[in-house]
Amino acid sequence: MIRIAISALLLASAAPVFAETYSIEPGEGAQERLQEALILAEPGDEIVLAAGRYELTDGLSLDVDGVTVRGAGMDGTVLDFTTQAGAGEGLLVTSDNVTLRDFAMENPKGDGIKSKGADNIVYYRIRVTWTRGPHPENGAYAIYPVESTGVLVDGVKVTGASDAGIYVGQSDRITVRNSIAEANVAGIEIENSRNALVEHNIATRNTGGILVFDLPDLPVMGGGNVIVANNLVVANDTPNFAPPGNIVAGVRRGTGIMVMANEDVLIENNILSGNPTAPVMVIAYVQPYDDERYNPLPRGVVVGDNTFDGGGYDPQLEGGELLKAAFGGELPPVMWDGLGSLYVTGEAPGWSLNLTEQGVGLGAAQPAPLAAPTPEAAFDRSGIGAPAELEARLSR
């Protein structure tokens, strides 16, 4: 009877008991050895990357559930894609319950790390950098989870992305925290996603610091239930270097936190300084669209108590100098286009374009001081953020 019980226990916990570790060293043949490990790994296995620089000439892929890829730190293990032959991402993950941690990726020709349809994925202490700095030929996204339920991005550092440093799209149950997004077009972007918590991050020297968008013509729409809190959003003044035609190519230099066409977004307890167009911007989608499912207006956006060090002192807007003069030399820190619904609690000086129709442009604006009501009820925080079980992986 005891033997039967022990056997049953071993079978029930087969993955962790019999998990295998693949140890990879840099040097000749590292590309083949690493990709082979990513193919042969089974659920529960760990791929350990020793410290050093791995010169890789092709992208990598992982399609096995429950695998951990672990390096020796974001400055210790570096996957160098400078001589990458193709134009794809550095690493593509298409499996569930994957943990990526403690390594860096430099100069991928396309995106840094893309995970698609990968539920319950963890990005922990990852660095993705384009070493030449801001450039339109850099990859679009550094950290790029899409079409996923359960996403935890914690302690990453991203630099030089020509679209967004950390981009989470068409996903649900998301946390982005404790990360640094620097010198990207968009530092952090939550797009067409729900139940996202963006907290304790630093967004600096981007064109725009933190963006919360909902766009038409995508498989998943209806973004909302987003909290942007306790972030340091400073000096986002890098000229926009996105390739023409990208949606973020329209982001104005000097945007701190921007909400476009989303619903139920809370912005609170952030520190915003040195964002010369608008520390906080809340607007409708600005382009024409044909998607009948789409609502282009921001709805239920709440600007709570934040710390503002100045407002729009160099707005990259048509008629910016006249606007500054009308408001005494500097635009108030909260900008609203007047469409949809915006609520304000606490001290949040602002101004409104007072537009009456979506897509008409600034020519129809009637600028005036912001007059926004207080919320009728407390913000509903239930269900927002990554599932709690993802947290447990960080201590392993």
Side-chain angles (χ1 to χ4, degrees):
M1 193 69 172
I2 294 176
R3 290 177 183 170
I4 294 174
I6 292 173
S7 298
L9 179 62
L10 290 174
L11 287 172
S13 58
V17 171
F18 298 108
E20 185 169 351
T21 298
Y22 294 83
S23 297
I24 310 297
E25 301 278 343
E28 185 177 354
Q31 172 94 44
E32 292 74 17
R33 288 183 280 113
L34 176 50
Q35 184 58 69
E36 182 180 45
L38 292 167
I39 293 171
L40 296 179
E42 296 184 359
D45 287 354
E46 185 167 86
I47 298 171
V48 176
L49 308 176
R53 181 169 290 271
Y54 296 70
E55 296 184 1
L56 306 178
T57 58
D58 201 0
L60 304 165
S61 61
L62 173 63
D63 190 31
V64 181
D65 292 347
V67 171
T68 296
V69 180
R70 180 193 302 265
M74 65 168 64
D75 295 319
T77 298
V78 180
L79 307 183
D80 184 351
F81 288 88
T82 302
T83 58
Q84 182 179 354
E89 54 278 318
L91 173 62
L92 174 64
V93 178
T94 51
S95 47
D96 299 337
N97 300 305
V98 167
T99 301
L100 307 171
R101 59 178 298 166
D102 297 301
F103 63 88
M105 181 176 291
E106 294 183 356
N107 302 323
K109 291 296 189 292
D111 303 319
I113 304 175
K114 179 179 180 179
S115 53
K116 184 174 183 180
D119 294 341
N120 296 321
I121 187 164
V122 173
Y123 293 82
Y124 186 45
R125 297 189 304 214
I126 300 288
R127 176 173 63 86
V128 180
T129 305
W130 284 271
T131 57
R132 64 182 165 187
H135 195 282
E137 294 181 5
N138 291 349
Y141 307 108
I143 302 294
Y144 183 16
V146 64
E147 298 177 15
S148 301
T149 298
V151 175
L152 175 58
V153 179
D154 189 353
V156 310
K157 183 175 182 180
V158 291
T159 307
S162 66
D163 194 306
I166 300 170
Y167 171 99
V168 185
Q170 303 178 64
S171 296
D172 191 14
R173 302 295 307 277
I174 302 149
T175 296
V176 178
R177 68 186 187 193
N178 304 326
S179 296
I180 300 173
E182 181 176 8
N184 311 280
V185 174
I188 299 170
E189 182 175 351
I190 307 296
E191 184 179 286
N192 290 55
S193 295
R194 297 193 69 82
N195 300 310
L197 175 61
V198 181
E199 65 174 357
H200 300 295
N201 302 288
I202 298 174
T204 186
R205 296 182 56 237
N206 308 286
T207 302
I210 300 174
L211 313 183
V212 182
F213 283 3
D214 196 54
L215 304 179
D217 303 312
L218 292 175
V220 177
M221 294 194 310
N225 293 359
V226 179
I227 296 175
V228 180
N230 299 297
N231 301 285
L232 183 62
V233 185
V234 297
N236 289 288
D237 54 9
T238 294
N240 196 312
F241 59 97
N246 286 18
I247 187 67
V248 297
V251 174
R252 309 300 174 102
R253 178 184 67 82
T255 302
I257 298 172
M258 178 178 177
V259 177
M260 184 174 72
N262 236 258
E263 67 171 345
D264 298 332
V265 180
L266 174 62
I267 302 169
E268 69 172 4
N269 298 328
N270 302 284
I271 298 174
L272 299 107
S273 175
N275 303 292
T277 289
V280 173
M281 181 185 296
V282 180
I283 63 171
Y285 183 66
V286 297
Q287 299 180 10
Y289 66 95
D290 297 318
D291 193 332
E292 295 181 355
R293 305 168 300 161
Y294 183 60
N295 188 332
L297 306 182
R299 292 95 65 202
V301 179
V302 178
V303 179
D305 289 319
N306 297 276
T307 299
F308 297 106
D309 181 13
Y313 58 87
D314 184 21
Q316 304 300 295
L317 302 169
E318 292 82 350
E321 290 302 316
L322 293 175
L323 286 169
K324 284 198 306 177
F327 283 93
E330 182 174 285
L331 296 177
V334 178
M335 171 189 164
W336 180 34
D337 66 1
L339 299 172
S341 56
L342 172 69
Y343 302 92
V344 174
T345 65
E347 296 294 328
W351 66 289
S352 175
L353 296 174
N354 287 311
L355 298 178
T356 59
E357 185 179 350
Q358 181 269 339
V360 297
L362 291 177
Q366 304 178 57
L370 178 66
T374 58
E376 297 177 358
F379 192 87
D380 184 3
R381 302 167 187 263
S382 58
I384 294 178
E389 56 265 28
L390 301 190
E391 177 88 22
R393 295 194 212 161
L394 305 185
S395 59
R396 295 176 186 169

